[in-house]
């Protein structure tokens, strides 16, 4: 087969020339000009290439992108997945092309055996064997492709779930940070109010102390000068007598006025 992106090349010049010819379906007309031995060699060359391509296809298709768990690797992971998808798609096309070529070579062998151009008495068994090998490759390719597709879907699902969990964790973290900020703000407000209350309590205590000292001074003055209490008592009694006399005079005047008006 021709040189591929995986570095698998054919060393047979004849197979290299034939590999350049377009082959569709099981059309063996492009190979009927070859001898029986050349077709067998070409079929083995195709089989070897298919083995190598299937192995590479399985490795690439089943490979998982590296994941270090960091947000900075998200773009690298997406790029790696894209490259993996492109590689598997290219290998699928190459394997399908090789299967078509092997099918065409097997059909050409069967045609040579039918027309009596084969060599040896076991030609029919050899053709049957080539057909079995071809069917085995086709079955293995279908199974491998289904496994690769399932692995890819599983990886994409896991990546989607992991990304959703990461986004939910970031959202929850933001909510917790906002709640913590609110709690810290409330604590600072409570501390400020308590500080103001302590200051008010201190001022009230200071005022109480001043009033107590004033009361003590007044008590000292009363104890030192007892005559003051006597003078104050006499003044208060005189005010009471004056008030009584004034009340009697006012009542008498009102009585006279009433009699006069009557």
């Amino acid at each position: 087969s021709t040189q591929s992106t995986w570095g698998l090349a054919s060393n047979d010049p004849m197979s290299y020339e034939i590999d350049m010819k377009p082959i569709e379906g099981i059309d063996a007309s492009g190979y009927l000009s070859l001898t029986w031995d050349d077709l067998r060699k070409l079929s083995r060359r195709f089989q070897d290439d298919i083995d190598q391509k299937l192995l590479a296809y399985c490795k690439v298709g089943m490979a998982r992108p590296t994941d270090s768990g960091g947000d900075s690797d998200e773009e690298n992971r997406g790029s790696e997945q894209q490259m993996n998808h492109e590689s598997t798609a290219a290998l699928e096309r190459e394997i399908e092309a090789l299967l078509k070529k092997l099918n065409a070579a097997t059909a050409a062998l069967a045609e040579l055996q039918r027309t009596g151009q084969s060599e040896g008495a076991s030609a029919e068994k050899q053709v049957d064997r080539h057909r079995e090998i071809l069917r085995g490759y086709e079955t293995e390719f279908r199974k491998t492709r289904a496994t690769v597709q399932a692995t890819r879907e599983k990886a994409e699902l896991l990546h989607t779930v992991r990304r959703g969990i990461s986004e939910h964790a970031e959202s929850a973290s933001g909510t917790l940070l906002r709640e913590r900020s609110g709690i810290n703000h409330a604590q600072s407000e409570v501390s400020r109010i308590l500080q103001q209350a302590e200051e008010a309590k201190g001022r009230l205590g200071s005022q109480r102390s001043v009033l107590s000292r004033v009361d003590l001074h007044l008590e000292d003055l009363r104890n030192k000068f007892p005559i003051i209490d006597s003078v104050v008592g006499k003044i208060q009694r005189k005010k009471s007598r004056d008030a009584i006399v004034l009340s009697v005079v006012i009542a008498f005047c009102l009585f006279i006025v009433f009699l006069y008006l009557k």
Side-chain angles (χ1 to χ4, degrees):
S1 63
T2 59
Q3 181 76 23
S4 69
T5 57
W6 290 88
L8 304 176
S10 173
N11 297 323
D12 189 349
M14 180 178 295
S15 66
Y16 178 83
E17 293 177 359
I18 295 174
D19 194 28
M20 298 297 292
K21 297 178 181 179
I23 299 174
E24 299 293 341
I26 58 172
D27 184 9
S29 60
Y31 292 158
L32 291 179
S33 60
L34 301 178
T35 64
W36 176 266
D37 289 336
D38 289 339
L39 281 174
R40 289 181 59 197
K41 292 178 181 180
L42 183 60
S43 296
R44 286 196 294 269
R45 181 70 243 178
F46 289 157
Q47 292 169 9
D48 292 340
D49 288 347
I50 291 173
D51 283 331
Q52 297 178 20
K53 296 289 185 181
L54 281 174
L55 179 60
Y57 177 68
C58 185
K59 288 182 178 180
V60 174
M62 300 293 289
R64 293 184 178 181
T66 57
D67 186 8
S68 62
D71 294 338
S72 59
D73 294 336
E74 188 69 23
E75 295 182 358
N76 294 335
R77 180 184 178 88
S79 176
E80 188 176 352
Q81 285 183 334
Q82 182 64 26
M83 293 177 61
N84 181 276
H85 293 173
E86 293 176 356
S87 298
T88 54
L91 284 170
E92 286 180 2
R93 292 191 295 269
E94 292 176 6
I95 294 172
E96 289 173 350
L98 285 171
L99 287 174
K100 289 181 180 180
K101 293 174 183 179
L102 181 59
N103 195 356
T106 303
L109 285 171
E111 181 65 20
L112 290 181
Q113 187 270 331
R114 187 184 66 82
T115 57
Q117 301 181 43
S118 59
E119 298 178 2
S122 61
E124 184 176 358
K125 293 182 179 180
Q126 293 180 21
V127 171
D128 292 339
R129 177 58 182 163
H130 279 287
R131 287 172 176 168
E132 291 177 0
I133 293 174
L134 175 61
R135 287 193 294 269
Y137 281 134
E138 292 174 343
T139 301
E140 183 179 357
F141 175 58
R142 286 194 296 269
K143 292 181 178 179
T144 304
R145 181 164 55 184
T147 303
V148 168
Q149 182 65 25
T151 302
R152 181 185 303 172
E153 293 176 353
K154 181 180 179 181
E156 291 177 352
L157 178 61
L158 289 175
H159 175 62
T160 302
V161 171
R162 187 175 300 173
R163 183 174 57 186
I165 293 174
S166 177
E167 292 176 354
H168 177 71
E170 291 178 357
S171 177
S173 177
T175 302
L176 290 176
L177 288 175
R178 288 192 297 271
E179 291 179 355
R180 179 175 297 177
S181 177
I183 291 172
N184 291 335
H185 179 70
Q187 288 179 346
S188 63
E189 288 295 323
V190 170
S191 299
R192 184 178 61 83
I193 293 172
L194 290 175
Q195 184 178 1
Q196 292 177 354
E198 289 292 336
E199 293 176 355
K201 181 180 178 181
R203 289 193 296 270
L204 291 174
S206 178
Q207 293 175 3
R208 179 180 179 182
S209 177
V210 171
L211 293 175
S212 298
R213 287 196 300 270
V214 171
D215 187 53
L216 288 175
H217 288 310
L218 292 175
E219 188 67 25
D220 290 339
L221 289 174
R222 292 180 63 183
N223 292 332
K224 289 179 180 179
F225 304 99
I227 191 173
I228 295 176
D229 286 339
S230 177
V231 172
V232 171
K234 291 179 179 181
I235 293 172
Q236 290 179 350
R237 286 194 295 272
K238 186 177 184 300
K239 286 183 177 180
S240 298
R241 287 196 300 268
D242 293 341
I244 294 172
V245 171
L246 180 61
S247 299
V248 172
V249 172
I250 292 173
F252 179 74
C253 293
L254 290 175
F255 179 72
I256 297 300
V257 171
F258 178 74
L259 291 176
Y260 177 76
L261 293 176
K262 189 177 178 181

